[in-house]
Amino acid sequence: MQEAFYCVYLDRKNHPLGRHLISLGTATSTLTSPREVFRGAILSGATGVCISHNHPGGDPAPSSADIRVTRDLKEAARILDIDLVDHVIVGDVNADPLKVGYFSFHQQGLL
């Protein structure tokens, strides 16, 4: 299993316009940048994006790299006037200490 980073492009009512695999990484990491995330959003005319990636190890708690990428994407979204609606990290409910199986930056008040 490897990390995969996806972006869902949203219209002004947060209905999905499409999704795109931004990058496919290794068992422990994947790379992304604002350029890759927002290229598709601009081309599709999206007014918002929701990004997501998985943690193959199962624990969906964000790493320092996840927090840094989210902060960078939030700043790029602000400049482009595109809403960063959420960043969801998907894990395994059995490996999650909270037994939820995912982590939402929006739900945690970090977006």
Side-chain angles (χ1 to χ4, degrees):
M1 192 171 210
Q2 44 193 153
E3 280 197 22
F5 194 101
Y6 280 90
C7 186
V8 177
Y9 307 121
L10 305 168
D11 68 13
R12 64 184 182 86
K13 293 185 178 182
N14 286 341
H15 296 133
L17 296 169
R19 68 176 163 81
H20 184 242
L21 174 63
I22 302 297
S23 66
L24 195 57
T26 67
T28 58
S29 69
T30 187
L31 297 174
T32 191
S33 75
R35 177 179 50 250
E36 284 82 22
V37 170
F38 292 105
R39 178 184 298 127
I42 292 167
L43 291 173
S44 68
T47 58
V49 296
C50 183
I51 57 174
S52 180
H53 76 281
N54 65 314
H55 279 179
D59 184 352
S63 67
S64 59
D66 295 333
I67 294 167
R68 185 174 55 254
V69 164
T70 304
R71 185 179 58 240
D72 292 347
L73 292 173
K74 181 179 177 182
E75 178 62 15
R78 185 190 64 74
I79 291 168
L80 293 169
D81 195 27
I82 296 174
D83 292 329
L84 178 56
V85 175
D86 205 349
H87 179 181
V88 178
I89 302 171
V90 179
D92 179 351
V93 70
N94 295 317
D96 183 357
L98 301 176
K99 299 298 183 202
V100 177
Y102 70 93
F103 179 91
S104 164
F105 281 79
H106 177 76
Q107 283 182 349
Q108 296 300 315
L110 300 172
L111 280 180

